[in-house]
Amino acid sequence: MQIQLDDLSSSAVKQLLEQHHQDMLATSPPESVHTLDLTSLMQADVKFWTLWQGGRLAACGAIKLLTSQHGEIKSMRTHEDFRGRGIASILLDYMLSQASELGLSQLSLETGSMAFFKPARALYEKHGFEYCDPFADYELDPHSAFMTRQL
């Protein structure tokens, strides 16, 4: 298993991110979809990691820097062939350690409030995230759940 800072150039990464975006559009109203496109994920204020197993892309995730102390988790996605194996937990643990190395003291995220997103919310709860009010530019939305964790 290998986790690496990624430049988003591989077709496997692009395909996984497109599947992620399509799932968000299929489960949430368009105004409640907050995925970042490739250009946004390539900005200097975003760190994007991929987890590879046996030469195959298993998962990805990013941290967008909101301030020098506060980051937002974006684009967490596990490839369907690797779900249920603890891959997301491994990547999230790695991202939490990287957030600390970046000097962040808080990580927050937005995810869906519907049943489809229950596994994601359970993952974040398991890793110490707590529900919170909207942060950054987010507004209250019945389709969104907001979570945060101090580092």
Side-chain angles (χ1 to χ4, degrees):
M1 189 174 309
Q2 177 187 9
I3 299 174
Q4 64 188 36
L5 196 57
D6 201 287
D7 66 4
L8 297 108
S9 63
S10 82
S11 60
V13 170
K14 291 174 185 175
Q15 184 178 17
L16 186 60
L17 289 169
E18 180 58 27
Q19 289 170 350
H20 176 63
H21 183 68
Q22 291 305 315
D23 273 353
M24 300 307 99
L25 289 173
T27 56
S28 303
E31 65 274 9
S32 298
V33 174
H34 303 287
T35 56
L36 295 179
D37 62 19
L38 278 176
T39 302
S40 298
L41 287 168
M42 291 178 180
Q43 298 304 306
D45 63 345
V46 177
K47 305 295 181 197
F48 183 86
W49 294 275
T50 50
L51 186 152
W52 299 80
Q53 189 169 32
R56 294 183 58 212
L57 177 61
C60 66
I63 295 175
K64 178 178 174 46
L65 303 176
L66 301 175
T67 70
S68 62
Q69 298 291 307
H70 189 192
E72 179 183 4
I73 293 178
K74 300 294 292 181
S75 302
M76 279 289 294
R77 179 69 174 204
T78 302
H79 189 285
E80 60 189 14
D81 293 346
F82 292 91
R83 291 188 185 144
R85 299 184 193 179
I87 296 291
S89 281
I90 292 167
L91 182 57
L92 184 54
D93 280 338
Y94 183 83
M95 290 171 59
L96 289 168
S97 71
Q98 291 300 298
S100 292
E101 286 188 25
L102 290 168
L104 300 179
S105 59
Q106 181 180 8
L107 272 181
S108 300
L109 63 98
E110 179 276 338
T111 190
S113 61
M114 295 79 79
F116 177 85
F117 298 96
K118 186 175 181 179
R121 293 190 308 270
L123 169 73
Y124 296 124
E125 289 171 1
K126 175 182 160 187
H127 288 269
F129 285 83
E130 298 178 349
Y131 292 93
C132 65
D133 291 329
F135 60 92
D137 295 332
Y138 291 106
E139 296 181 7
L140 280 176
D141 180 342
H143 303 286
S144 291
F146 302 97
M147 302 178 84
T148 196
R149 176 187 160 163
Q150 299 299 315
L151 301 175

